[in-house]
Amino acid sequence: FVSRAFMRNGGPGIGVWETGFDDKQGTMEAWVQVGQFHTNSYWHGNGLLFEIEGFRSDSGHRVYLKPDFTKKVLVPIYETWAGGRTNTAKGVPIPAPPATRWYHVAASWGIASSNGPLAAILINGKVSSRAKYRETACKDRLFTAGWPSKTMSCFGAIDEIRLVSGADVEPVI
């Protein structure tokens, strides 16, 4: 989908319409550079990675790395919202390495389970967290990567961004 690295720094990211996005199931994924910046209060990798219809309050998807500067970690989070409810998969914190490293971050939705469909966030190919998934109304809506949202900024390099049809709890990395 996008195979060129770019720097997220509060400026323009990418936006794509008519991606063939499927509300029933799919996977968003990319490689994200994570690491300490020149101060302890700003790290490579923090902030928004992907969003589908982030400017609509009724339905959407959002994947981001939330910094916890006191614990020196980035917490991977995948949120979906529809019908007035938000479901959140909050992953295992990623410690900020002393030097920058690349991490594979993926979010899958519509994963079959005996309790109904699930959403999951994966770090380096391993499930970090799962949550219930309610189907959204985002078919053929705007997919963005690396844009600052109305509620958070972003910083750091991102590469090999993909939006894939089908829920994949073990993506190839």
Side-chain angles (χ1 to χ4, degrees):
F1 184 107
V2 177
S3 61
R4 186 175 147 205
F6 70 94
M7 188 69 168
R8 300 172 307 128
N9 189 16
I14 62 158
V16 181
W17 288 97
E18 299 179 16
T19 59
F21 177 83
D22 185 352
D23 291 302
K24 293 190 186 313
Q25 65 177 208
T27 301
M28 298 180 276
E29 59 184 308
W31 287 91
V32 180
Q33 194 176 46
V34 173
Q36 260 182 307
F37 195 51
H38 64 273
T39 70
N40 285 335
S41 62
Y42 216 67
W43 295 342
H44 286 280
N46 86 51
L48 187 66
L49 301 176
F50 321 111
E51 245 181 350
I52 297 175
E53 276 310 326
F55 295 107
R56 287 180 42 191
S57 60
D58 61 327
S59 188
H61 293 245
R62 179 179 295 129
V63 179
Y64 58 100
L65 297 178
K66 182 179 181 179
D68 181 334
F69 297 120
T70 57
K71 294 181 181 176
K72 296 187 178 187
V73 297
L74 294 171
V75 181
I77 297 177
Y78 175 33
E79 297 174 335
T80 60
W81 59 96
R85 295 189 183 146
T86 300
N87 293 327
T88 303
K90 186 176 180 180
V92 177
I94 301 168
T100 56
R101 270 184 66 194
W102 288 93
Y103 282 80
H104 184 262
V105 179
S108 288
W109 60 94
I111 302 163
S113 82
S114 59
N115 295 326
L118 298 175
I121 190 157
L122 298 88
I123 304 298
N124 292 336
K126 294 185 178 11
V127 174
S128 186
S129 179
R130 290 186 172 101
K132 289 186 180 198
Y133 175 67
R134 292 175 54 97
E135 193 171 317
T136 61
C138 295
K139 184 172 176 54
D140 293 325
R141 298 294 181 171
L142 179 63
F143 170 80
T144 61
W147 286 92
S149 78
K150 59 186 175 183
T151 59
M152 75 181 74
S153 64
C154 55
F155 184 78
I158 186 170
D159 196 7
E160 295 186 30
I161 302 160
R162 292 188 180 89
L163 179 60
V164 183
S165 61
D168 195 353
V169 291
E170 293 182 18
V172 176
I173 59 170

